[in-house]
Amino acid sequence: MNATAAQQHEVLVLGAGYAGLSAAIQLAARTRKRGNLRVTLANPYDTFTERLRLHMTATGQETAEMNIPELLDGTGAGFVRGWVTAVDAEAKTVRIDDDRVLHYDTLVYGLGSIADTVAVPGVDDHAYTLNSPEDAALLADRLTRLDGGTVVVGGSGLTGVEAAAEIAERHPELQVVLLGRREPGASMHPKAKAYLDSALARLGVQVRSRVEVVKVLPDSVELADGSSVPAAAVLWTSGTRVSPLADAAGLTVDDRGRVVTDSALRSVSHPGVYAVGDAAAIRQGFGVMHGTCQGGMPTGVHAALSILRVLAGKEPKPFRFGYYHTPVSLGRNDAVVQFTRPDDSPRRIVLTGKRAAKYKETVTAAPWPTFARMKKMPASGGFWPRGGSYTRIRSAK
């Protein structure tokens, strides 16, 4: 016999990114035949954002639309569309769009991160971002209206590299300039870095490393050395920031505003709150994890398993994770894949060219089938390991 609503344990998941959606589906799949636990997922959009493909959206390419309520259908999980505007960790409530209040017994905080548009003056006013499909579509529209000129990509990390390559390939009439403090692929094995450099050169991308952007203007960017670069459009990919809601709620956060967790992914100050993905400062033996889909999905799964263990009166197991690879697209038919050690340091194994592009495409497409398999999994079984280890090959699936 089903428990009454008053007896139900309410689990509220904030954010339907790779980590939050994994947590919600995993919880719902494992408890769909029970009546004592209810899972609700809150997100501003009812479609899943494939962040790994936003550089494609930014160049006008169509990607599959993935409906979140449709995916949740049959799991028993509820969906609330809206923006989270406040979290009260003491009252255990979350405010949505300032006019709705959701109550929870356990919270999974997965609001993720966005491009840091406040650290450098002018970025928020004059630069485009890849924070959402809507933002990417704005850049795509701008690029189609340019007859020529220079597009500046600020930030030489992997997001900047992929975006610069995509823009250069799709818009050969434009000059693409990639600016960054570090050289593109600086953390890669020399073989992988050399391939990345040659691909960018082949596409005509002008790379300027060891430079610092100090201001973005409507038609140029100013550098720390006093020089400037003309820009018909600026895409900003340098640095990320997280929502200030966790800090405002009184959760213990690190210097970047990420929720500090224990080994089971619980907030060290509020154990009824689990933090996942980019929103969490998760320490492993090699240091604090950096935000990627590769690490985000396992954190969501582990948070779900930890919650179920606690509700069953058991101690949650520690989360263990190791990186496996760094796939980087260089246009539609080229890529470089750097295989890594668990601490994300490069191995000698590198995949390049069309084989790497196919590999990258397979990995990029993997999350949605994975979510679907989670949804269909038996309540007592497991697509993911029951323990706390998500290393190497597991993290790539």
Side-chain angles (χ1 to χ4, degrees):
M1 184 174 180
N2 288 343
T4 65
Q7 296 173 312
Q8 283 185 326
H9 188 95
E10 300 281 349
V11 178
L12 177 59
V13 181
L14 304 183
Y18 295 98
L21 196 52
S22 296
I25 295 174
Q26 189 74 189
L27 275 168
R30 290 178 178 272
T31 61
R32 59 177 173 262
K33 294 183 179 181
R34 306 180 192 178
N36 61 347
L37 187 145
R38 182 164 59 185
V39 180
T40 302
L41 176 63
N43 195 63
Y45 310 101
D46 58 11
T47 54
F48 176 70
T49 298
E50 286 190 283
R51 294 183 68 91
L52 299 178
R53 292 182 183 269
L54 286 179
H55 57 286
M56 296 172 61
T57 305
T59 53
Q61 301 174 70
E62 292 187 5
T63 59
E65 186 170 295
M66 304 175 183
N67 185 268
I68 295 172
E70 181 180 309
L71 179 64
L72 295 177
D73 186 42
T75 67
F79 179 75
V80 174
R81 180 174 179 177
W83 290 93
V84 177
T85 56
V87 176
D88 189 330
E90 304 306 322
K92 294 188 174 182
T93 60
V94 170
R95 188 170 292 276
I96 304 291
D97 292 337
D98 284 336
D99 60 1
R100 289 174 288 169
V101 175
L102 304 179
H103 297 263
Y104 68 84
D105 297 301
T106 298
L107 182 70
V108 179
Y109 187 90
L111 293 182
S113 64
I114 58 175
D116 186 354
T117 59
V118 300
V120 175
V123 171
D124 202 33
D125 295 323
H126 306 302
Y128 295 87
T129 68
L130 299 181
N131 287 336
S132 69
E134 290 77 12
D135 292 330
L138 288 174
L139 176 58
D141 178 67
R142 173 62 175 164
L143 295 178
T144 59
R145 290 186 287 108
L146 294 177
D147 294 327
T150 299
V151 176
V152 169
V153 178
S156 55
L158 300 184
T159 300
V161 168
E162 291 193 323
E166 206 77 36
I167 294 170
E169 182 176 83
R170 300 284 291 188
H171 293 279
E173 75 280 6
L174 302 175
Q175 172 63 62
V176 180
V177 178
L178 179 62
L179 303 177
R181 296 179 181 176
R182 303 180 67 195
E183 294 184 5
S187 63
M188 290 181 166
H189 186 275
K191 179 180 177 181
K193 185 183 181 327
Y195 188 88
L196 187 151
D197 290 342
S198 65
L200 290 177
R202 173 179 54 78
L203 290 167
V205 176
Q206 180 184 343
V207 177
R208 295 185 61 181
S209 304
R210 300 183 181 87
V211 298
E212 180 181 358
V213 177
V214 295
K215 191 172 185 179
V216 177
L217 300 172
D219 57 359
S220 65
V221 297
E222 293 184 356
L223 305 181
D225 63 6
S227 65
S228 64
V229 180
V234 177
L235 170 62
W236 195 255
T237 68
S238 179
T240 60
R241 60 187 173 94
V242 299
S243 169
L245 292 178
D247 190 20
L251 302 176
T252 297
V253 298
D254 69 357
D255 58 357
R256 293 178 55 187
R258 298 174 298 181
V259 179
V260 179
T261 71
D262 66 9
S263 63
L265 306 186
R266 296 173 295 195
S267 162
V268 295
S269 59
H270 294 74
V273 177
Y274 292 74
V276 296
D278 296 359
I282 303 169
R283 182 164 292 280
Q284 297 290 284
F286 52 79
V288 177
M289 291 175 58
H290 59 78
T292 65
C293 164
Q294 184 180 175
M297 294 180 72
T299 65
V301 172
H302 191 84
L305 299 180
S306 293
I307 291 169
L308 294 176
R309 287 186 66 87
V310 169
L311 293 179
K314 302 176 182 178
E315 280 296 313
K317 296 184 178 181
F319 177 74
R320 295 289 181 265
F321 174 80
Y323 295 99
Y324 179 68
H325 59 192
T326 302
V328 185
S329 64
L330 300 168
R332 288 301 82 216
N333 297 301
D334 196 6
V336 57
V337 179
Q338 172 68 73
F339 292 93
T340 67
R341 300 182 180 89
D343 64 359
D344 206 30
S345 61
R347 300 170 65 194
R348 295 180 60 87
I349 304 174
V350 174
L351 194 62
T352 60
K354 291 184 178 180
R355 288 191 304 161
K358 184 176 181 180
Y359 181 99
K360 172 68 159 56
E361 181 65 22
T362 301
V363 171
T364 302
W368 198 249
T370 299
F371 292 144
R373 289 197 293 273
M374 287 183 189
K375 174 181 174 180
K376 297 176 181 178
M377 65 180 289
S380 59
F383 175 76
W384 296 84
R386 292 188 182 186
S389 179
Y390 300 85
T391 60
R392 315 281 300 163
I393 291 294
R394 286 178 182 140
S395 69
K397 291 181 179 179

